[in-house]
Amino acid sequence: VWHPISYKVLFGNESDNEYKANFRVIKNETTTMSDNEIKQQVIQAIDEFFATMEAGEKFFFTQLSTYIHQKLQQNIGTVVIVPTYSNDKFGNLFEIACSDDEILLSTASIDDINIISKITANNTKIGN
């Protein structure tokens, strides 16, 4: 039996505005990795995470965050997702549902990863 599948594109330039996001990463002071190496590793982890998703599976940022932390171990302190859509605020993309016939797909690129020194209300859109 053939079941057509569609994709819900998340985070990158190809996604709908409501799903566009940046990832803010705090790099550990003790790491020897460059900012670009961190960004590339974060994208690789995101791509690996989404490669395992199945049709109808809901996205939870906490699961992705845990996966990124496992992959980068002591190289990062934290990672948060920040929506870029003007009406969205911190937390809006922590859970994303999809239909039974949809697969979630990330198109995030290194341009969507920002290395920051600390979390502030301004750089995470908390309370906006």
Side-chain angles (χ1 to χ4, degrees), residues 74-89:
Q74 294 86 12
N75 294 301
I76 64 170
T78 195
V79 58
V80 295
I81 188 170
V82 180
T84 59
Y85 191 54
S86 61
N87 295 335
D88 282 349
K89 61 182 179 183

Side-chain angles (χ1 to χ4, degrees), residues 1-121:
V1 176
W2 181 68
H3 294 281
I5 296 291
S6 61
Y7 294 95
K8 184 180 280 189
V9 180
L10 306 176
F11 311 136
N13 286 334
E14 296 84 17
S15 65
D16 290 340
N17 285 338
E18 65 186 295
Y19 298 116
K20 289 184 180 181
N22 285 319
F23 293 86
R24 308 280 200 248
V25 178
I26 296 177
K27 184 169 85 168
N28 277 345
E29 294 175 8
T30 59
T31 186
T32 59
M33 294 178 75
S34 70
D35 287 1
N36 281 338
E37 287 173 316
I38 297 278
K39 290 178 181 185
Q40 289 171 350
Q41 297 255 337
V42 169
I43 290 299
Q44 182 178 345
I46 292 170
D47 290 345
E48 289 172 5
F49 178 85
F50 277 93
T52 64
M53 296 199 75
E54 297 180 9
E57 188 175 349
K58 189 181 279 192
F59 167 77
F60 295 98
F61 176 70
T62 53
Q63 293 174 335
L64 174 59
S65 170
T66 299
Y67 188 81
I68 292 170
H69 278 278
Q70 288 173 344
K71 287 295 190 175
L72 279 92
Q73 299 178 1
Q74 294 86 12
N75 294 301
I76 64 170
T78 195
V79 58
V80 295
I81 188 170
V82 180
T84 59
Y85 191 54
S86 61
N87 295 335
D88 282 349
K89 61 182 179 183
F90 184 77
N92 282 16
L93 297 176
F94 273 35
E95 183 177 324
I96 300 171
C98 66
S99 304
D100 290 342
D101 63 347
E102 280 183 313
I103 294 177
L104 299 176
L105 176 69
S106 171
T107 60
S109 71
I110 60 169
D111 294 332
D112 300 311
I113 311 296
N114 302 110
I115 306 295
I116 60 173
S117 59
K118 64 182 178 177
I119 292 178
T120 66

